[in-house]
Amino acid sequence: MPTPVDVLERRIDELRVAVRQAVLAGDRAQATALRAELRRAEREWDDALDEFADQTPVPPLLPIRDQVHNALTLLGVPAAPKLLIAVHEAFFAGEIVGARLTSLRRDEERSFRAAPRQRPYYLCSALTADLLAPARGLLAVSTWPLDRRIVGPLSARVDFLTAAIRIAEQAERHPGAERLLRRFAVNIPGATDSSFADVKPEVVVRAARAELAVHEGADRSHREAAAERARTQLDDAAQLFGSRELQRT
Amino acid sequence: MTSPERLRGAAAPKSHNARTIAALTTNPGCSRRAVMDAAGIDKERLAAYVGFPARFGQSQFAITRGNVFEAQLKADGCAELLRLLREVLGLPIPQVSYDDLESVDQLDARADRSRELLTRAAGGESGTLFDHPLLRLEVGGRWVYLEPDLIALQFGGTFYVVEIKSFAVIDGQADGTKVSAAATQAAVYVLALRRLLAEAGHDPGLVSHEVVLVCPENFSNRPVATLVDVRKKLSVLERQLARMARIDPILESLSPDLTFDLRPDSSGVPQRPVAELVDGLGQIDARYSPECLANCELAFFCRHEARGTTASLGKSVREELGGVPSVDLALSLASGAVAPADDQEEAAAMLRFAAQLRSECLS
Amino acid sequence: MSALTALARVSAVSSGVAQRIATVRHVHLSDRPLVFIPLALAGEANAPLAALVGSSFDSPQLLVVLQPRNRDERFAFAARLAAVFLSYVDSFRGETETVPAGRNTDPRERYVDAPQILVPNGGGVGFVRLLGRSTRFRRTEGEYAVEPSVPLLGRWLTFFAERAEYPGSSLLLNMTGALGMHWATGQSAVEDANLAALVGWIDPPDGMTGADAALEAEDPLTWPPAGPATDPTFDNEILAPAIEAGSLSRLESALRRQLEPTWELMWRGVSLLRNLPPGARVERRWAEDRDAFTGYASYVDEGGYPQARRDGAVAAAQRLARLERAQVLYDAQRAYDDPLILAEYRLTGEAFAGTVTASAPDRIDDSGKRRVLRPRVTVSSSDPVRFEPGVSVVSPARPSQTGRVVSVSPLPSGFEVVLELSGGMGRGLTAPPGSVPEVGERLTYTTLTESYQAPAAFPAREETPWTHGGPPVEYVPDDDDAVEEWS
């Protein structure tokens, strides 16, 4: 006799074919309805399986906010989740679970607004220099000076070069970081030899510093001016998580 | 005479994008398509409703691959893209300025902000990389929003449209059809950017007719950038857009009460009798060719309608048959059952000879 | 597209079934071909997803990649394919024959048979080429090492793919192309690219017209695409959840269902082609294919390098010239083998057919220093003869004999052509019986020639002019080739 799981699996297969039929016939309403039914069947299937399996998730060594904090502190500049994962993998034990990063900033903001400044640090946003809005996909640390969290037109490059220097400086003691360092080095003029074969941390530092010197001054004045505006125009929470007001004007 | 609004009925106009605008250039002689596109009619929905759904699905694997590749190029302050542009455009080291225009939420605000930054840059002020600027182009009397992957401004004031595609360049060679489609799309952006600058009083020639095409190299994720000349695409595009702006003569020939309104009920289900819509489509001449199957949402309908024509077998078949338009006529001329009209004498003689040869060899 | 084929297409529309455009088969068909149907993952550069492969209808082998984006799994797929493919290729390396010395060649050994790969369409040939390109440089030791069979597979796949560009070669055939050479359907060439639709037109199921069958063939639920691209709704609704679930059995059954209908079509295609009698010169071209196979097998044995990524300037020009000559010869051979192909040349005035009305087999030309046998024949033709006097023509019935057009004069219906013949009559001053066409014989004469053409002269490799990059560096695969990413 077929088990409930077997019956559900057959049902799921049938629904998938039906969805294809609807899509091919250009019938969007029907496809949407069938997809909803398919999701329902899949959930039931998951539940049915859960009855067999005993699931205890393995807790990570550190809470995710500490992992992210460690990676950000090493880099010293605002960074995107993908880079944070790579940095953590190269320098620290344990793994950052990417899926959990997506809700992190929202959780931090909620916590801050509920009870401001109760924690030693918050993981917050980088702010765009023009609108002081949260910069897409960048995380930063609340204890950093405000101007370091501002992103002006030159900051993406400046932060990239700064991160390269920090990674190179740490790379000597962490052989696992070589691949990450190479990824940075190939995109910095003079940081690798012509064959890209050998990446020497001190060469990367020198090359990155040389290019950094070109952009640094202009970038700093942008950032400082924007930070000054943020301090006068934004409340505490908005200084950390960005303003959504200015955008609509 | 009818109007585009009346033809479309109560539905919201279907918005164009660079891909659909590029597709306009593939069969410029087709009145049906010109009218439908100018009126902003949702051809895909119409085709499905009359029983000839289009087949333009995209695999989620292809979509994901495209997104991942673009994100990779733009990661870490466009680090990879910057290296490539330094190589192909000779961007000097100080030019690293990056403006993310996608972070502005509203379409209008984004378009305004894009215009502001791009015109400021054209005026010699700051700016090098403009990520996802929002441009506008007038298509058939309506404004269409367009979103190039990136625009780069070279030292000296030349703008380059950068198009990121995830099809591979293997040993210096890529799929010609895909390169051509990418070039046509990029040409749409070049045109929109030129018009934006011209409106702001700048020289449209500041936008290069060469675009930067970035693709993965060989079987890797490593990007490679190539300059592609889109001058020819631009002139085809401009001609077709101008033509769409002049569809009045076609509209004049249409009955004033013609409409493709699907008359959806309160839950959005169309109530219009299919026969009325089919009849309406029949009032506007189509120029079906098999190439439409890859380019137009209405193609399966038009193919069905074109059964029995020599053109539906391919342009070269029709030409080889001396331009004789229908299958039946071609066969009747070949068998001698029908006497040729004056301008068909030569074609008929050839067909008779061909038929004689076939029967001689196959008997 | 010729006018004859165009007429065949309109006839197919009205009769509801595909029409023959060849009276004989122009490709070689092996008794034991290897049918190979590859599928690739959308959006990637030739990432193998699955394949159905085998040399008999009853025993297809299904190869599946559980995670198509995983590099190791791709090479594992290549290794499994290599096991099937290389043992198939090796099975033809048995008996040889000795080919006697020719005008410019030494005597040589040649395998009496050769492998033949059949793929569904041009995309399948492209897949073979790219899979060859992505595997032939791989190293078998050190970092990124792969199974020894993988680079070997790559070299053979590359050999077959390059050979597929050679006009008249049958080592790697695509089924839509092979069928399309012999039948004209009542649809366009664009639609012929769908193997199910094409077979539907050629051999419609009982009670259906070709048009009905072709329409049904466009439903990807009944007739999945013949690859390498899959149907997007299959990707989105079936494949993606199966890959995510990581269940091999689910993936295998889903992919098997995508591939099996094409497997049947491929073997139906094979039997459709087998039912056609082979053209007289097919065997000669297959012998060239066997030569090429023998040559490459011994090159590999001797430890030759894998094929370069790109040809140097001289090699590329030589290759192009070789392909052009092969094309001219192949066109002529097909016309000589097949009156229906020859008829295309009659239609365009490059050939005419007629009946011999007068024959002077013993005519001697004594105008020169030496008396020579130069028979004359008069041929009356109802074709529109467009040849000027002085033109040389050949009849496929007597390919070693050349006719020079002496005069063309109009008749009440058609033309009368006088030809002066030379060659194919021995060395004496009397023509052997049967060597000169007799009165009443029906013949076709054409300007097409299958005679030997000397290859164009090219500078030696080491004398490549600087305008073409100078002499190329000897191609030696380097580390870069071996560790190239495949992701």
Side-chain angles (χ1 to χ4, degrees), chain A residues 13 16-17 20 38 42, chain B residues 59-62, chain C residues 39-44 47-50 63-69 228-259:
Chain A
D13 282 349
R16 287 209 174 103
V17 173
R20 286 186 72 193
L38 176 60
E42 283 172 341
Chain B
S59 166
Q60 57 171 272
F61 298 110
Chain C
L39 294 182
L41 188 73
E44 306 281 323
L49 175 62
L63 308 177
V64 166
V65 184
L66 189 55
Q67 291 294 342
R69 292 207 188 87
T230 47
D231 179 63
T233 67
F234 169 76
D235 283 11
N236 297 343
E237 314 299 338
I238 312 285
L239 183 61
I243 289 179
E244 200 174 321
S247 150
L248 185 62
S249 64
R250 210 168 121 190
L251 205 59
E252 277 182 346
S253 77
L255 287 164
R256 192 185 292 279
R257 263 176 283 167
Q258 287 297 293
L259 287 159

